[in-house]
Every structure is written in C-alpha cells, then in structure tokens.
Amino acid sequence: MIPSVLPTYSRAPLSFVKGEGSWLIEADGRRFLDMAGGIAVNVLGHAHPALVAALTQQAGQLWHTSNLYEIPQQKALADRLVEATFADTVFFTNSGTEACELAIKMARKYWFEKDQPERLKIIAFEGSFHGRSAAGIAAAGSEKMTRGFGPLVPGFVHLPFGDMEALADALDDSIAAVMLEPVQGEGGIRPLPDADLKAIRAACDEVGALLILDEIQCGMGRTGKLFAHEWAGITPDIMLVAKGIGGGFPLGALLATENAAAGMTAGTHGSTYGGNPLACAVGNVVMEVVATDDFLADVRRKAGTLRQKLEGLVASHPDVFEQVRGSGLMLGLKCVAPNMDVINAGYAAQVLTVPAADNVVRLLPALNITDDEMAEAVARLDTAATEITKGLK
Ligand code: PLP
C-alpha cells in the first residue's frame, strides 16, 4: 500500500523533535551534530533567538495579506538585497525552484521585448541542479531527473561543467542566457574557478547574453562572501537565492538588474505567498546578521579551520576518503568508500551529513557553528571512517 506521504524520498530512520544551534535532538534525548544544516538552509543554526523573536513577533501581528497590497517587510528586505548586491530589483518566491523558473521566463521575455522572440536558448551545465519543476529539470537535463517526464521544456543546451572550449563554441547571438551555479551543490560540491566565471561573464557580454547565477545553495554567506560570485569580482544579470535567506522559513528570491528585468511588467508574473510578512520578517533578520563584514570574515576563518581538519581526516583514512573540495563552509568529501556508507556510519556516530553526486559527502553546517563543534564533527566523522575501515577488513 502506498504510504500516506508520497514515497519520493529515501529518508534516514531519524526523527528530530528539537533543534539548538548546530544540534538536533531526538525524542529520546539523543543529540546529533548537524553538518547537513537542512541542506544549506539553517545558516544561523536551529532556534536562533533573533529569528525566533522575529517570527513570533510577526506571527502575533499579521501572517498574510497577499501581494494585492503593500508588504512593508518585503520592501525592507528587497531594499537590503539591492543595497548589498549588484541588483536593482527583487521578486520573492517560496522556494529556489520558483526563482529558477522565473529566471527562465525573465530571460525569454527580455529577448521577446527586444523583438527577438526566437532568441530563447539557455546554456546550462551538466551536473547542475535548478529544482524539480518542469523547466528546472529541463534546465539541468540529467536523465535521473527527466526520465518519464517528457516532453521536456525545450530551449536548453547542455555543456560539460567548466568546459570553456565547448562554451566558446556554443555561445553566440542565438543564446538568450547562460545559467550556472558558481559552486555546484547537488552535482558534488564542484566550484567553478574564478577565472572561468570571469571568462563566462566576458563571453556573455560579447554576444549580449544574460548571465544567470544560481546561488541558492552557495549564496547567503556560505562561501565566506555574501554571494559566491563576489570571489571572481564579477556580477550577474540575474541571481537566484533561497535556502539560507529564510534560515529555515521557506523563502526564495530572484535578484536582477533593471535591464534584465525590463520585460517583467505588472501581470507578467506573480505568487500568492511569495514574500509574505512571516517569511520576510525572518529574511530581514538573516540579512542583518549574515551580511556584515565581521560575520563573513568569521565564516572564512572557520572555513579554513574546518578544511584543515578535514584534510587531516582524509589523510588518515585513505581507504574511505579521497579529497576535500569546495569553498567556505560548503565542503565536500570525495569518497573512496560508497558515500552512503559514510553517511550511515555518521548517523551511528551522531553526526549528520548530506550525499551529493560523484560519490561525495557534503558538509553544509550552520555558518555560526563554533570551533569546538567543528572539532567534534570531525572527531565523529573519524569514528565513522574507522568503523567503515573495520568493515573492509
Ligand atoms: N538550485 C540549487 C542550486 C539548489 O541547490 C536547489 C535545491 O537544492 C534548488 C535550485 C531548488 O531549490 P528548492 O528545493 O528550494 O526549490
């Protein structure tokens, strides 16, 4: 019999009743060190007092009015994002997928308004992930996500991630936009070198194509800059944000330049809940905490510490791990052993991590994790790796 919850997830046999900072607690009191962070969502950990206060204060005042009316919390968050980034304007969504969907619409509308409606092709990259909507799976293009769901939304060209020669061949004035994650998340924590991102920006400029960056996983301070593209010193035309911006409350956003957004006039797009008062009350506080020089400098410092410890872990378990990769507190352990064995052994050692493609174990901790907690997480991963090695003998 089909379960009451549609069985599309392979869930771990764990269930948590409470969260405290970087810890998740089961009903029996067992405490797990959370290096999964809700898949890069809980940027300030669980039950952060300022987020709890913002949400409960707003909950007692007003939950929802719809986008029929002005929403002051939404305007405040849009102002903050515009102030902190390249963007001139913001559209709020409830999820990352919806932001990706709007980016695709916006790129098409941009060329439609320029009397080139046939200029609709978007270059995307193998190993990418842009959500599970019909256009999102077509954009990523992987067989795993698209099989059985055809016919797919047309207009996507797929190139190997980081293949700059293939990009040079494909990018001409028939291309509407190039869309990519500066650090691929689901694809196995694969950062694009800064030089390549710079070259992609220049190549887009040459033919007038829009650059769409999906920073849903790698943005909001995760790499030690507010957004990952800042490392390369370039700016996109459109950027997608979600996950961390709500700190656990569902919230996403599309940020764009005035030029890229020019076709999106009243009635061309909308959302019932997008940018509702509850979500934006939380988003404002997340931005207030994360988008500061001191906070981001501390993320960079902690990232260096964690990476060094993980290099040590990899060196002492060559039969389990092969490599550490990633950027900031978005780190991947490329495994020799099956990544799910490492993750399951981690559950036994009470540390939570996330699988990714290419046999990688992802670490996406809260950005305010402490040094002691990072040391404890690596110690628990060491226990997990030791158990796997014992099983191999
Ligand atoms: N884009 C990227 C890079 C992601 O990592 C994700 C989620 O994992 C999405 C898009 C989709 O976001 P959501 O699951 O919030 O719809």
Side-chain angles (χ1 to χ4, degrees):
M1 204 173 73
I2 192 165
S4 59
V5 175
L6 190 72
T8 59
Y9 300 108
S10 339
R11 294 178 199 268
L14 297 170
S15 170
F16 301 105
V17 294
K18 193 172 162 51
E20 283 171 6
S22 286
W23 296 88
L24 280 170
I25 302 148
E26 285 197 312
D28 64 3
R30 281 208 310 161
R31 294 169 67 85
F32 289 72
L33 192 39
D34 185 7
M35 301 300 280
I39 321 185
V41 165
N42 301 102
V43 283
L44 297 178
H46 302 281
H48 187 284
L51 299 189
V52 172
L55 185 63
T56 49
Q57 195 277 335
Q58 187 59 47
Q61 202 165 322
L62 183 64
W63 287 26
H64 179 81
T65 56
S66 88
N67 284 300
L68 289 169
Y69 314 109
E70 301 290 338
I71 300 175
Q73 300 81 356
Q74 189 184 116
K75 167 82 167 63
L77 183 53
D79 286 346
R80 270 184 209 279
L81 288 166
V82 164
E83 170 75 28
T85 68
F86 71 96
D88 302 312
T89 189
V90 182
F91 182 93
F92 291 102
T93 64
N94 312 288
S95 69
T97 305
E98 291 164 79
C100 294
E101 196 74 18
L102 173 56
I104 293 160
K105 286 177 68 177
M106 186 177 277
R108 289 186 171 185
K109 191 69 164 29
Y110 177 84
W111 290 107
F112 177 87
E113 294 294 338
K114 289 192 179 301
D115 289 330
Q116 295 182 58
E118 71 291 347
R119 188 166 177 173
L120 53 75
K121 280 192 280 178
I122 295 179
I123 291 179
F125 294 91
E126 288 165 13
S128 63
F129 185 74
H130 301 297
R132 299 291 196 136
S133 64
I137 59 172
S142 85
E143 165 80 6
K144 198 175 135 207
M145 280 187 283
T146 56
R147 193 163 178 272
F149 296 115
L152 300 179
V153 175
F156 294 97
V157 178
H158 297 107
L159 303 180
F161 187 58
D163 186 338
M164 299 302 288
E165 270 179 40
L167 184 75
D169 289 345
L171 185 50
D172 56 27
D173 62 10
S174 71
I175 299 297
V178 175
M179 177 166 174
L180 72 138
E181 302 156 72
V183 185
Q184 282 193 348
E186 306 297 309
I189 308 290
R190 297 199 294 167
L192 189 74
D194 291 344
D196 288 355
L197 196 49
K198 269 194 187 120
I200 292 174
R201 173 72 272 182
C204 284
D205 287 343
E206 218 164 284
V207 296
L210 299 173
L211 178 60
I212 303 170
L213 294 182
D214 181 341
E215 293 229 15
I216 287 165
Q217 194 160 146
C218 64
M220 288 308 294
R222 176 84 20 213
T223 67
K225 297 268 188 192
L226 186 56
F227 292 104
H229 66 263
E230 294 170 28
W231 287 107
I234 57 112
T235 58
D237 301 288
I238 297 171
M239 178 171 71
L240 317 173
V241 182
K243 291 187 180 278
I245 192 171
F249 199 92
L251 177 62
L254 175 143
L255 281 63
T257 62
E258 186 168 10
N259 175 50
M264 303 305 295
T265 49
T268 55
H269 198 67
S271 165
T272 296
Y273 291 119
N276 107 338
L278 291 171
C280 290
V282 178
N284 273 301
V285 178
V286 172
M287 274 295 286
E288 207 173 283
V289 176
V290 172
T292 62
D293 290 342
D294 285 354
F295 186 89
L296 293 169
D298 204 40
V299 172
R300 294 193 289 273
R301 182 192 63 75
K302 281 191 263 203
T305 306
L306 181 57
R307 191 167 187 130
Q308 200 177 24
K309 288 186 190 306
L310 291 172
E311 297 285 0
L313 175 77
V314 168
S316 42
H317 296 280
D319 45 352
V320 178
F321 303 115
E322 189 181 316
Q323 183 199 24
V324 185
R325 64 197 197 197
S327 175
L329 288 175
M330 182 174 185
L331 292 167
L333 295 168
K334 165 87 172 146
C335 297
V336 179
N339 62 348
M340 281 315 300
D341 287 3
V342 176
I343 288 165
N344 288 327
Y347 293 152
Q350 292 171 226
V351 59
L352 307 174
T353 56
V354 193
D358 199 26
N359 204 31
V360 163
V361 169
R362 263 181 289 178
L363 306 179
L364 304 160
L367 303 181
N368 59 356
I369 188 170
T370 65
D371 288 25
D372 285 352
E373 287 163 341
M374 290 193 296
E376 180 62 28
V378 177
R380 290 179 185 211
L381 287 170
D382 187 72
T383 304
T386 304
E387 285 305 309
I388 291 174
T389 306
K390 274 190 209 160
L392 292 173
K393 282 182 183 151

